[in-house]
Amino acid sequence: MKQAFKFFISRRRTIFSPTTRYCREQYNSPNYRQINLSNEYPFRIIPFHRLINNNTHVSKCKLGGVVQYRGCHSVISSLTSATNNVNESKFYVQKNGIINVKPLVNEENFVHEEGRVDVNNGNGNSDNVVVDKDKSEGNIVINNRIESDVEKEAWGLLRNAVVNYCGSPVGTVAANDPNDKMPLNYDQVFVRDFVPSALAFLLKGEGEIVKNFLLHNLQLQSWEKTVDCYSPGQGLMPASFKVRTVQLDNNKFEEILDPDFGESAIGRVAPVDSGLWWIILLRAYGKLTGDYALQERVDVQMGIKLILNLCLTDGFDMFPSLLVTDGSCMIDRRMGIHGHPLEIQALFYSALRSSREMLSVNDGTKNLVRAINNRLSALSFHIRQYYWVDMKKINEIYRYKTEEYSTEATNKFNIYPEQIPIWLMDWVPEEGGYMIGNLQPAHMDFRFFTLGNLWSIVSSLGTPKQNEAILNLIETKWDALVGNMPLKICYPALEYEDWSIITGSDPKNTIKLASPWSYHNGGSWPTLLWQFTLACMKMGRTDLAEKAINLAENRLVADRWPEYYDTQTGKFIGKQARLYQTWSIAGFLTSRMLVQNPDTASLLFWEEDYELLEICACAIGKSSRTKCSRGAAKSQILV
């Protein structure tokens, strides 16, 4: 057996000679890293460990117009003989095509004689999470606590949902109901759906599946994506992928990854949030395992840059918030969130803060880091100042003057007071408030969107005072936002003509014509539980989190872990809800483990960064037309 090196090099815009070879030392040199961090059509450099013999070759076939290179079976078969050479690396260079080879993950898990598993943090020290096997009773003990029967069932279901590719776990299916004969795309691995599963595995000390998931999605990022002869930006991450088995020559079969970038989705909407979730999960993986070497890999650094370049590209917009179409996030059907929805802005802010921590700062990235800092500063100010509503702000909007033509206008977005809905005036408590769902010229969407508000807390997009007020609102309006099952995806639901016009008469977003509160239109989603738990723990309100977890626990088991619940109080299992929904299962498990490990939970949220609040792009501008409103609003920003 000997080490073999093979390079696959794109012909278009190549900066390498076809005969060039790069050894390990060259790859790790600063000059090599710098020339590969190009801004336009960059290469993907994918390192992985593999030994092959002289008779082994990488096969390729033409499938769907893309040449795919494979070598899964030779990787697996050579794994046992590679133990003495596990640090030897091979690099593939790719551009548009997918190199369909599994990176051999060198997990640093150690199993002790007594059955305890520690996760190595990269420095030889183990994490806080300790899992013991009580051999006499057959119980799993986590941090000296025996798992309940509900948790045992949930873990069994979660493990049954695991998807393997070339013999290694790479994710979990969206739902795993054995009685569902038409799974549609619920048998795929969704990026956003896998996040709570990933956290559950990480909190239990099992990092291999998360690392594999991150790396395989990174490979898929470079896939050629085309819808009706148009290709979106190169940094786009897939919404989901499926492991398929294809037949090769001589009756041989092989597994491939088949991604969906939105070209097969209902409505053909690109998944804007996938790349943001990928970055957030990458940070969480490093925090919970200590394996920061993954973040430092050249291909991973490039993946982060591609996503950020896609998000930070200059356009016609005057606002620092991301402009997206309807259905580009968890609410993936038409619900009137096109424009600048809070959910995307909160995830965008979280991804920017994650990237700021993980990006290697050098001459090739200093401009990007500067752009991240400026965007973080501008976005936090924009959301805190213009998205926030409480009784004081509602009264201010109620008295707005309109049609103001001035750089010093108070009503900057020309919001008409008549937009304030009747339900809002008596709904917001004196000590509460929240971030509105959307803001555009002459339009404020006053609906309460749970995910966006929770991530405003987790990421410190809101001020400490605002974050506290959001939880006060949820506590005060518990019956409306939690009811019988946590938590409402949005409040209130669209009814009658609003439902017909805004959703396009979508039957999935209503129980029947005159009765909403279903699916994305005010449905209750158990997967929001883990995000609520994390927000509560950050603000020192673990009591609220435990109340919600206890409410959900027994009902989820009895109802067979549904995807969502219908009716205004969440009494009924959703009309079209899938059972044994994986992120409902994983959301519960993650919530339980977060509450039991507060120190570990603290690694997943962000505290206020006061340095960002002092950064203002206006200060470095040379235009005399610049008029910054930060001075007048600074007292509000810093509370």
Side-chain angles (χ1 to χ4, degrees), residues 590-607:
T590 299
S591 299
R592 271 285 180 227
M593 286 188 284
L594 287 173
V595 168
Q596 314 245 338
N597 299 280
D599 291 339
T600 304
S602 67
L603 300 174
L604 298 176
F605 53 71
W606 293 261
E607 298 295 348

Side-chain angles (χ1 to χ4, degrees), residues 319 340 382 386-387 413 415 436-441 443-445:
F319 313 129
H340 306 86
H382 183 78
Y386 303 122
Y387 277 62
F413 297 91
I415 303 299
I436 61 171
N438 212 327
L439 176 65
Q440 300 183 69
H443 173 66
M444 294 182 80
D445 185 347

Side-chain angles (χ1 to χ4, degrees), residues 34-82:
Q34 184 174 351
I35 63 175
N36 280 283
L37 298 179
S38 56
N39 290 326
E40 186 178 14
Y41 297 101
F43 283 79
R44 173 73 63 245
I45 299 139
I46 303 176
F48 58 91
H49 308 287
R50 174 169 170 257
L51 291 178
I52 62 177
N53 56 36
N54 292 330
N55 297 323
T56 305
H57 66 280
V58 179
S59 63
K60 67 178 180 179
C61 70
K62 187 88 169 178
L63 183 63
V66 179
V67 176
Q68 302 175 343
Y69 297 87
R70 303 187 183 87
C72 298
H73 300 300
S74 58
V75 175
I76 298 170
S77 61
S78 61
L79 176 59
T80 54
S81 60

Side-chain angles (χ1 to χ4, degrees), residues 12-283:
R12 185 158 55 103
R13 299 195 184 185
T14 298
I15 60 174
F16 292 93
S17 165
T19 59
T20 305
R21 296 290 184 270
Y22 285 87
C23 67
R24 186 179 175 88
E25 289 71 25
Q26 289 173 311
Y27 171 78
N28 288 321
S29 70
N31 292 335
Y32 180 82
R33 287 172 177 258
Q34 184 174 351
I35 63 175
N36 280 283
L37 298 179
S38 56
N39 290 326
E40 186 178 14
Y41 297 101
F43 283 79
R44 173 73 63 245
I45 299 139
I46 303 176
F48 58 91
H49 308 287
R50 174 169 170 257
L51 291 178
I52 62 177
N53 56 36
N54 292 330
N55 297 323
T56 305
H57 66 280
V58 179
S59 63
K60 67 178 180 179
C61 70
K62 187 88 169 178
L63 183 63
V66 179
V67 176
Q68 302 175 343
Y69 297 87
R70 303 187 183 87
C72 298
H73 300 300
S74 58
V75 175
I76 298 170
S77 61
S78 61
L79 176 59
T80 54
S81 60
T83 54
N84 296 328
N85 300 280
V86 72
N87 290 323
E88 297 299 323
S89 296
K90 183 183 80 164
F91 304 96
Y92 280 91
V93 182
Q94 78 165 23
K95 189 170 171 184
N96 292 322
I98 175 68
I99 298 180
N100 212 348
V101 184
K102 171 193 170 293
L104 181 59
V105 178
N106 179 21
E107 287 301 318
E108 299 176 346
N109 291 348
F110 300 92
V111 182
H112 303 279
E113 290 182 0
E114 67 274 19
R116 189 181 68 188
V117 179
D118 293 343
V119 180
N120 192 289
N121 65 5
N123 299 317
N125 301 317
S126 61
D127 274 321
N128 295 328
V129 179
V130 179
V131 181
D132 289 283
K133 179 71 175 178
D134 185 346
K135 296 179 181 179
S136 60
E137 299 294 334
N139 295 319
I140 300 297
V141 181
I142 301 180
N143 287 354
N144 300 319
R145 185 186 65 85
I146 298 177
E147 285 185 333
S148 67
D149 291 338
V150 175
E151 291 172 90
K152 290 178 184 178
E153 176 182 327
W155 272 112
L157 293 170
L158 183 59
R159 296 193 189 284
N160 288 337
V162 169
V163 174
N164 289 291
Y165 171 59
C166 296
S168 296
V170 293
T172 51
V173 293
N176 194 29
D177 184 357
N179 298 318
D180 188 357
K181 304 303 180 186
M182 297 182 63
L184 296 179
N185 59 350
Y186 282 81
D187 61 350
Q188 298 186 18
V189 180
F190 281 81
V191 173
R192 75 174 70 94
D193 291 42
F194 180 67
V195 173
S197 297
L199 293 177
F201 284 120
L202 289 173
L203 289 168
K204 199 161 187 177
E206 302 175 20
E208 179 189 5
I209 185 174
V210 183
K211 187 172 186 178
N212 291 343
F213 172 85
L214 290 167
L215 292 176
H216 280 298
N217 271 282
L218 184 64
Q219 293 179 358
L220 296 174
Q221 185 188 40
S222 295
W223 191 286
E224 185 114 26
K225 350 177 219 297
T226 302
V227 179
D228 293 338
C229 302
Y230 178 76
S231 297
Q234 198 180 21
L236 183 67
M237 283 286 186
S240 62
F241 65 82
K242 183 178 176 65
V243 177
R244 300 188 186 277
T245 302
V246 297
Q247 185 172 355
L248 304 177
D249 298 334
N250 302 323
N251 293 323
K252 293 183 179 179
F253 295 84
E254 194 158 31
E255 292 180 337
I256 65 167
L257 295 178
D258 183 12
D260 176 16
F261 291 93
E263 68 270 27
S264 300
I266 298 172
R268 302 298 189 266
V269 179
V272 177
D273 65 336
S274 287
L276 307 178
W277 279 121
W278 184 85
I279 291 177
I280 293 168
L281 182 58
L282 178 64
R283 172 187 179 267

Side-chain angles (χ1 to χ4, degrees), residues 397 400 402-403 411 413-420 442-443 446:
I397 298 171
Y400 266 169
T402 59
E403 315 299 336
N411 186 4
F413 297 91
N414 198 36
I415 303 299
Y416 297 98
E418 289 75 13
Q419 290 185 28
I420 301 176
H443 173 66
F446 287 98

Side-chain angles (χ1 to χ4, degrees), residues 463-481:
T463 68
K465 186 176 180 179
Q466 289 171 347
N467 295 338
E468 183 180 352
I470 292 171
L471 289 185
N472 287 341
L473 173 72
I474 295 175
E475 183 179 26
T476 304
K477 297 298 177 180
W478 188 268
D479 291 341
L481 299 176

Side-chain angles (χ1 to χ4, degrees), residues 248 304 330 453 483 622 624:
L248 304 177
I304 298 172
M330 178 182 176
N453 275 277
K622 298 180 180 179
S624 60

